Amino acid sequence: AAAAKGGGGAAGAAAAAAAERTLFVGARSSYTSELRFWCPEEGPPPSPMPCFRLVDDLGEVVPGAEAHVPQLDEEVCLRMMETMLRVSEFDKVFNDAQRQGRISFYLTSRGEEACSVGSAAALREDDWMLPQYRELGSALWRGMTYMDIANQATGNRHDPAHGRQLPLHYGSYERRIVYVKSTLGTQCPHAAGVGYGMKRRGGGQVALTYFGEGCASEGDVPSAFNIA
């Protein structure tokens, strides 16, 4: 019946996928597997903007998205899964430590592990990352260890920042990770500047930054978009 309504076969499946809508409160929009930018000279974007999606809630590739899904070998996939699990385990211990008053600050990456690990895995080792609070997975993927993060979180004598940063404000010049900042959103224009500097040098490097809804309300974010 679904195939008959959608025109049969792959076309019907694609039509059914396109008819689905997001369930996010306040952002109920259609899905799309087409990745594109809307430019001002082309007219206003659709309202609400469609949500880009490659896989459904069951992890299956949605019809029409096959060309965008990377082919990953089993070893890489297992490493990504292991890194996400390591993030979760570290979060459990240090979130409890913060609640017990052992450290002053901690935010978990719960539910966002795949975002940071997957994006970090797509980068080259000489690309720069500018994280916020919930991208521990990207740091672990780049080779930072539990001990590195723990030293920073506790501000002990092995902390490269010598305790001058709040906990979870890690970074590593060697691993091309700019230190996390307490000022929400400032990493966004910084990333645009890093990207511009690398563009001037040549070499094809990129700068990747992360932000959430809290940062999005800061003026730094639209300014960063304009700079970029």
Side-chain angles (χ1 to χ4, degrees):
K5 289 181 181 179
E20 293 185 63
R21 301 182 70 81
T22 64
L23 299 178
F24 301 115
V25 176
R28 306 216 169 178
S29 62
S30 59
Y31 288 111
T32 180
S33 58
E34 178 189 5
L35 185 60
R36 59 162 296 186
F37 291 93
W38 273 276
C39 300
E41 60 270 19
E42 297 176 1
S47 181
M49 291 186 69
C51 177
F52 181 65
R53 179 178 69 158
L54 299 181
V55 296
D56 61 20
D57 292 342
L58 299 178
E60 300 294 332
V61 178
V62 298
E66 295 82 0
H68 300 301
V69 178
Q71 299 300 314
L72 302 175
D73 59 49
E74 183 176 357
E75 182 180 355
V76 173
C77 291
L78 288 174
R79 183 186 166 199
M80 293 170 72
M81 179 60 72
E82 178 187 3
T83 304
M84 288 189 284
L85 291 172
R86 292 179 67 221
V87 172
S88 179
E89 291 304 308
F90 191 92
D91 276 349
K92 291 176 184 176
V93 174
F94 276 79
N95 191 55
D96 284 348
Q98 192 276 328
R99 296 298 187 268
Q100 294 164 5
R102 297 172 183 267
I103 59 176
S104 61
F105 180 85
Y106 196 83
L107 291 173
T108 71
S109 299
R110 189 177 299 123
E112 302 182 27
E113 298 93 338
C115 297
S116 60
V117 174
S119 56
L123 298 179
R124 294 181 352 194
E125 291 298 316
D126 60 345
D127 292 329
W128 281 87
M129 297 190 298
L130 294 90
Q132 189 59 50
Y133 297 132
R134 304 184 189 274
E135 285 76 48
L136 178 59
S138 63
L140 296 181
W141 180 266
R142 275 287 174 90
M144 295 192 75
T145 65
Y146 272 2
M147 192 62 69
D148 292 332
I149 307 298
N151 288 337
Q152 195 286 315
T154 55
N156 64 24
R157 65 188 181 93
H158 300 293
D159 173 19
H162 307 294
R164 299 186 183 116
Q165 288 266 44
L166 279 170
L168 205 63
H169 286 49
Y170 51 82
S172 171
Y173 178 81
E174 295 77 14
R175 297 178 177 87
R176 303 293 192 268
I177 304 172
V178 176
Y179 272 84
V180 175
K181 300 162 186 63
S182 298
T183 46
L184 282 177
T186 57
Q187 75 275 12
C188 297
H190 294 166
V194 171
Y196 182 62
M198 292 190 298
K199 181 179 180 180
R200 292 288 302 271
R201 290 182 178 183
Q205 293 168 275
V206 301
L208 172 67
T209 191
Y210 303 84
F211 64 93
E213 70 279 5
C215 285
S217 63
E218 298 289 338
D220 300 81
V221 173
S223 295
F225 288 155
N226 288 333
I227 297 169

